[in-house]
Amino acid sequence: MLPGIKRKWWKEAVVYQIYPRSFMDSNGDGIGDLRGIISKLDYVHSIGVDVIWLCPVYKSPNCDNGYDISDYRNIMDEFGDINDMKELIAGAHKKGIKLIMDLVANHTSDEHEWFIESRKSKDNPFRDYYIWKPAKDGKEPNNWMAFFGGKAWKYDETTGEYYLHLFADKQPDLNWENEKVRKSIYDLMNWWFEIGIDGFRMDVINMISKMPGMPNADNFLEQLSYVINGPRFHEYMQEMNREVLSRYDCMTVGECLGTTGDEVIKTVGEDRNELNMIFRMEHVCLDMDLMAGNMKKIDWKLSDFKKIFLEKDQLLDGIGWNSQFLMNHDQPRALSRFADDKEYRVESAKMLATFLLTLRGTPYIYQGEEIGMTNVAFDSIDDYRDISTFNTYNSELSNGVTSEEMLERIHSFSRDNSRTPMQWDESENAGFTKGTPWIKVNQNYKEINVAQAESDKGSIYHYYRDMIKLRKDNLVLVYGGFELLAEEDERVFAYLRGDGEEKFLVVLNFSKDETRFLWTGGESYKFQQLVISNYADRSLDTICDINLRPYEAKVYKLFN
Ligand code: TEU
Ligand code: CA
């Protein structure tokens, strides 16, 4: 079976992403922590996942919830200490679960000792760890904007120069052209591997090499082209691979906003010795233009959504490996975004699970996705916590947008939609904390919570377990080819998985209408077996004419 395929554990794995701040609070301070995660390892194990991706837990002043690191070799005070971390790794390993950390190496916190030194004087040994430039005509060195709004340069009085920050001004960009910076990062990566981790998710890793000369940009898209995949990016990745990654049987996934075509192949091609896989963002930019930075909703079409997944799969066919995700800690809840979080919440969450877990590529489940958690809608901007939500709110208000309109956009797209506390049970604060949570709990926790999901055999959670098992039992769902059917259908997403003899047909209704999927190709199969579906009672259909109820999902095994 599967000739020519290089089997790897990270290709066959299902990943579970944990946002520690919002997962489980063990000591009542309202902030999730490592001991909280340790206490929930049995639960994580019960889902059937193989890998935990832990969002940043390093020491941080938390201007961006840990994506601003002040010490890479220590744990954030609120989360615990290095012994808790070791215990978490050991606890996970004991259950056969691997653990990958988030490597944030495009920038540090301005409170990192490298930056504290760097800003002291122009001849400080750490000066060149960051990107400093003198003013140009009395202004910023160029017109670049930060991803979180405002200018990408901040003036520093001590030396009278500007430093570059592509994100918040408390997140200065490291200067990867400096060999010492690279060595320092490789050292700390090796240090963590020696502690026992199994890999890294690499934050905005395609931004570490910038366009020399840093030219002005007419718009944000043009600017993006100057900050991603710069001329030395692949050199750095291959160096990192030589110095660190090749020494371990590890897993890597790079966050690569804007990386397309050849650049994808160069980054993950199996002969390239760079990364195992990357996160591409096209499908989460379809209904909201990330680059416009205004959180405005755009109408999206299922046919465009399908084309994105098709292109992504075909591009790497036989060349490299994909990741698959529908949401993460930066995105709204996939269920609220691509399906229905009201009348058909259970059906549509199961439909999305069927989708995620039958694609070629390593699937990533984000905490709460497996119980059908939904977006949140706070009435007041004061209940939000995310820096990019605040910055967008303020900049749009200054563009004349009303606060009502902005709150509506925030309800759809704020990153806090996915950062409300994990809903464990129906007790106060959803069992997340005995104190006051750092961000309010979603009011629907009495219906939507883990305790309920565990006790109900028909729950979304049990369906995830079944889907993961189906994927594990059928390697062809991992490695087999992907063939899109009915590309232009605006309701049904249907595809074949597999090669030669062994094939599965996946049929998903992405709409709340009843519909039919007509497939003449079915005639060449003798019989089929429905292996899973998200409705309890099974409608009778033939493989050439499949009836679908709202958000219905059906997976068939085909026999010829
Ligand atoms: O995200 C990078 C990134 O592109 C996001 O800023 C994205 O544009 C935004 O979240 C969409 O709303 C990574 C991390 O995943 C994110 O949490 C960090 O804030 C960011 O890098 C800076 O480290
Ligand atoms: Ca805590």
Side-chain angles (χ1 to χ4, degrees), residues 74-106:
N74 266 306
I75 301 296
M76 190 189 299
D77 293 330
E78 298 90 318
F79 288 177
D81 60 27
I82 195 75
N83 290 323
D84 298 323
M85 187 63 192
K86 287 180 182 165
E87 197 178 319
L88 172 59
I89 297 168
H93 284 172
K94 215 164 154 194
K95 295 186 191 304
I97 298 176
K98 298 188 191 279
L99 187 141
I100 67 172
M101 288 181 92
D102 214 312
L103 178 75
V104 189
N106 173 70

Side-chain angles (χ1 to χ4, degrees), residues 89 122 286 307 311 362 411 463 525:
I89 297 168
K122 288 186 189 168
L286 197 56
K307 277 168 205 151
E311 183 272 337
T362 301
H411 291 166
Y463 191 85
Y525 295 92

Side-chain angles (χ1 to χ4, degrees), residues 17 19 53 55-56 64-68 102 104-107 147-148 166-168 171 201-204 207 220 224 255-257 281 284 288 290-291 295 328-332 386-389 392 413-415 419:
Q17 182 190 351
Y19 197 68
W53 152 24
C55 280
D64 187 18
N65 291 353
Y67 284 89
D68 48 324
D102 214 312
V104 189
N106 173 70
H107 44 269
F147 280 88
F148 293 161
L166 290 181
F167 293 88
Q171 293 167 301
R201 175 266 187 187
M202 301 184 190
D203 194 61
V204 291
M207 299 188 190
F220 212 77
L224 189 71
E255 187 200 23
C256 289
L257 175 71
M281 303 291 169
V284 290
M288 195 255 307
L290 202 63
M291 295 306 121
M295 288 193 185
N328 59 37
H329 65 293
D330 293 334
Q331 300 296 329
D386 166 36
I387 180 169
S388 94
T389 301
T392 309
F413 292 115
S414 171
R415 305 199 296 183
R419 299 177 180 184

Side-chain angles (χ1 to χ4, degrees), residues 115-147:
F115 191 76
I116 294 173
E117 288 300 316
S118 184
R119 77 191 327 173
K120 279 186 183 161
S121 68
K122 288 186 189 168
D123 56 10
N124 186 284
F126 288 91
R127 183 66 171 182
D128 208 27
Y129 264 54
Y130 295 86
I131 301 169
W132 291 97
K133 295 243 186 278
K136 207 170 168 191
D137 309 323
K139 288 199 308 207
E140 288 78 14
N142 70 19
N143 69 356
W144 290 3
M145 301 294 288
F147 280 88

